[in-house]
Amino acid sequence: MDTGLLKVFLAVAEEGSISKAAQSLNYVQSNVTARIQQLEQELKTPLFYRHSRGITLTSAGRTFLEYTVKILNLLDEAKLAVLDSPVPTGSISVGSDTTAAVWLPAILSTYRGCYPDVEVHLKVGRAGELLESVLQHNVQGALMDGPVEHPELVQELLIQERIGLVIPDTMDYQGIRSVHDKTLLMLNSECLYRSRLESWLAEEGGRLGKVMEFGTMEGLLGCVRAGIGYGVLPLSYFTRMNVTEGIRIYPFPEQYAEVPTVFIRRRDLYMTSAFRMFIEELKAGLPEAVSGTERLQGSGGAVEEQAQ
């Protein structure tokens, strides 16, 4: 079977349209139609339903799509394996959630300094997006809150991030009940930080108020300083970035403080030398204050003693 047919089939399945697939492949529409018909004749079964809104996969088409993705990815990995060398070259693609992306640039900078012939692509997104990106081979691996349980994935615990409550320095803080019903400002409302906060609040008889999402750490902290609400963030961010003006940080109680950060990759992924060395550099450059079992305690006026 011609791999060119598989690539056309994949494009049509992803676009849900013959015309859009033709545009993405830079083919004429009739060429795409003919190739899909050739493939269906070869398999002796229809792969798409044709209707007024476009096309959708049949049951056989969905099954064939799974194998098409595997076949094309396996061919790509075969090329990588043949071209791979002990000296890292080529490119790698990794994903990261927003909070891990705070300390990742320093690691990437060191890595690029050691291996200038490797092109690095970074995708920042939410946990669900990153998980799907790894599964679909869009990135080779991703940093995210764990644990992540999936039969096709391998996860490796990197660090136990310790999180803290971030409030404006104008707030009269008298314990966790002080934020009862106040607005929680978050980079990702679906992250584990929120569930840890809800557990802490519930234990003290409080409850979560409104939640407001932000696209950047700078915007979130600016709104905390303005008194719009409060946040929950890794303590490593403040120890590394030294951005405590106008805010106070209270570490979470011990039972809620740690959030695991894991690195995930596909179980069947071919590990190029460039990717292997990236993982080694990643481990070597983890935030010192929160790696392993080390505990981050209050230091200076900005990070307060553990909140009660």
Side-chain angles (χ1 to χ4, degrees):
M1 183 176 293
D2 183 2
T3 56
L5 292 179
L6 298 182
K7 292 178 181 179
V8 171
F9 168 72
L10 179 61
V12 174
E14 290 179 339
E15 296 290 350
S17 163
I18 295 287
S19 59
K20 290 181 180 179
Q23 291 176 0
S24 67
L25 295 169
N26 199 27
Y27 289 174
V28 295
Q29 186 170 330
S30 59
N31 192 349
V32 173
T33 300
R35 286 173 178 253
I36 293 299
Q37 290 174 345
Q38 178 185 345
L39 188 58
E40 290 178 323
Q41 290 171 3
E42 187 171 338
L43 294 171
K44 297 182 173 57
T45 186
L47 299 173
F48 295 98
Y49 294 114
R50 279 77 170 172
H51 47 74
S52 59
R53 297 185 303 276
I55 58 175
T56 55
L57 288 165
T58 62
S59 176
R62 289 193 296 271
T63 299
F64 190 67
L65 177 61
E66 294 179 12
Y67 284 96
T68 296
V69 171
K70 291 179 182 179
I71 291 168
L72 293 177
N73 282 319
L74 190 59
L75 286 172
D76 288 340
E77 288 192 4
K79 294 175 184 177
L80 288 174
V82 170
L83 297 174
D84 197 18
S85 67
V87 179
T89 58
S91 66
I92 61 171
S93 55
V94 294
S96 173
D97 65 16
T98 312
T99 49
V102 169
W103 45 262
L104 190 55
I107 295 173
L108 291 175
S109 177
T110 301
Y111 178 81
R112 288 296 306 277
C114 295
Y115 308 107
D117 292 332
V118 179
E119 186 176 353
V120 181
H121 302 277
L122 176 63
K123 172 185 173 67
V124 178
R126 298 187 178 201
E129 297 169 344
L130 296 174
L131 183 65
E132 190 64 20
S133 291
V134 174
L135 288 171
Q136 297 300 321
H137 300 269
N138 295 325
V139 296
Q140 292 165 279
L143 285 152
M144 56 192 296
D145 294 342
V148 177
E149 303 293 343
H150 193 285
E152 296 181 35
L153 299 178
V154 173
Q155 66 167 333
E156 183 173 3
L157 176 64
L158 295 180
I159 57 174
Q160 292 281 5
E161 283 276 25
R162 295 179 65 80
I163 56 177
L165 200 66
V166 185
I167 66 171
D169 59 10
T170 55
M171 179 186 289
D172 180 20
Y173 184 78
Q174 300 295 328
I176 188 62
R177 288 295 299 271
S178 300
V179 300
H180 171 76
D181 277 347
K182 288 185 169 55
T183 300
L184 171 63
L185 313 179
M186 301 204 75
L187 294 172
N188 179 6
S189 63
E190 301 172 1
C191 73
L192 193 56
Y193 299 177
R194 174 174 174 169
S195 63
R196 293 291 169 84
L197 174 65
E198 289 179 306
S199 297
W200 184 16
L201 279 166
E203 182 182 277
E204 298 296 329
R207 66 180 181 185
L208 189 66
K210 295 180 179 179
V211 178
M212 184 182 300
E213 286 197 32
F214 288 80
T216 65
M217 188 77 79
E218 292 77 11
L220 189 155
L221 290 177
C223 286
V224 171
R225 293 187 182 100
I228 294 174
Y230 68 100
V232 177
L233 294 171
L235 297 178
S236 62
Y237 176 78
F238 300 99
T239 59
R240 291 174 73 89
M241 303 300 290
N242 193 27
V243 285
T244 56
E245 181 181 354
I247 57 177
R248 283 176 286 152
I249 306 104
Y250 293 88
F252 270 44
E254 202 65 28
Q255 65 269 35
Y256 304 122
E258 290 190 342
V259 175
T261 296
V262 299
F263 188 74
I264 64 171
R265 59 178 173 82
R266 285 190 61 95
R267 193 175 297 277
D268 58 0
L269 178 72
Y270 176 77
M271 302 275 284
T272 64
S273 60
F275 189 58
R276 287 197 305 272
M277 295 313 298
F278 169 76
I279 295 176
E280 292 302 313
E281 192 62 49
L282 183 63
K283 294 176 182 177
L286 293 174
E288 298 84 357
V290 293
S291 60
T293 58
E294 189 173 344
R295 298 293 183 259
L296 179 63
Q297 301 297 335
S299 58
V303 179
E304 305 293 336
E305 292 297 324
Q306 180 171 297
Q308 301 296 323

